[in-house]
């Protein structure tokens, strides 16, 4: 693992391009409703039930990582949280993802999930959360 001398974050690749803590978690949560903040922390708790997860605020999103980054909060709305899981193949036969799109210039497919309620993290969603987590530990 390589550690950036400026921000002290760990990366798998030496001299990994990153934003060196341009934003904090507080920056993303500022002005959000208590409901949305609760939903966000519920998501963190669900990930921590799977395994050790770190949260990395970036320039434009919040990343979740085990060995590598495996899921991203791309929007904290008034009453929802948007999460993206990048997978190497599209998992179209599901009831949880509202959009699956290929990532330009990559062989990944972004799987978009919108959480409105804590109960939206059901067994199917947990399956994909664990799959993303497990894949990040192997890379």
């Amino acid at each position: 693992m390589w550690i950036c001398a400026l921000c002290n974050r760990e990366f798998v690749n030496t001299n990994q391009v990153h934003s060196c803590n341009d934003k904090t978690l507080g920056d993303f949560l500022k002005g959000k409703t208590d409901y949305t903040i609760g939903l966000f922390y519920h998501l963190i708790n669900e990930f921590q039930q799977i395994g050790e997860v770190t949260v990395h605020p970036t320039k434009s999103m919040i990343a979740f990582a085990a060995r590598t980054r495996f899921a991203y909060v791309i929007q904290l709305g008034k009453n929802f949280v948007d999460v993206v899981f990048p997978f190497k193949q599209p998992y179209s036969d599901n009831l949880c993802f509202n959009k699956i799109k290929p990532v330009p210039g990559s062989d990944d497919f972004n799987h978009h999930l919108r959480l409105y309620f804590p109960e939206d993290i059901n067994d199917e969603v947990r399956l994909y959360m664990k799959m993303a987590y497990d894949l990040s530990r192997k890379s």
Side-chain angles (χ1 to χ4, degrees), residues 26-130:
D27 292 330
F28 282 100
L29 299 178
K30 188 184 320 179
K32 302 304 177 193
T33 65
D34 290 341
Y35 183 83
T36 297
I37 292 170
L39 201 53
F40 173 72
Y41 280 108
H42 177 70
L43 176 66
I44 291 173
N45 184 57
E46 287 286 337
F47 274 129
Q48 289 174 337
Q49 299 302 312
I50 295 169
E52 187 176 334
V53 173
T54 56
V55 178
H56 298 278
T58 71
K59 193 173 196 172
S60 60
M61 63 188 82
I62 303 166
F64 293 92
R67 184 169 185 269
T68 60
R69 294 172 183 197
F70 63 88
Y72 303 87
V73 169
I74 59 169
Q75 185 176 7
L76 295 164
K78 183 177 180 180
N79 65 345
F80 65 87
V81 174
D82 280 342
V83 185
V84 170
F85 296 91
F87 291 115
K88 294 293 181 195
Q89 67 185 58
Y91 293 100
S92 302
D93 188 19
N94 70 80
L95 297 174
C96 58
F97 298 121
N98 59 351
K99 178 171 52 172
I100 300 173
K101 293 278 197 173
V103 178
S106 169
D107 59 352
D108 287 344
F109 291 83
N110 278 344
H111 294 65
H112 295 258
L113 169 70
R114 179 166 280 184
L115 302 173
Y116 287 105
F117 304 102
E119 302 80 40
D120 288 342
I121 301 178
N122 57 26
D123 289 343
E124 181 184 39
V125 173
R126 285 186 195 96
L127 174 94
Y128 289 108
M129 290 170 71
K130 181 163 176 25

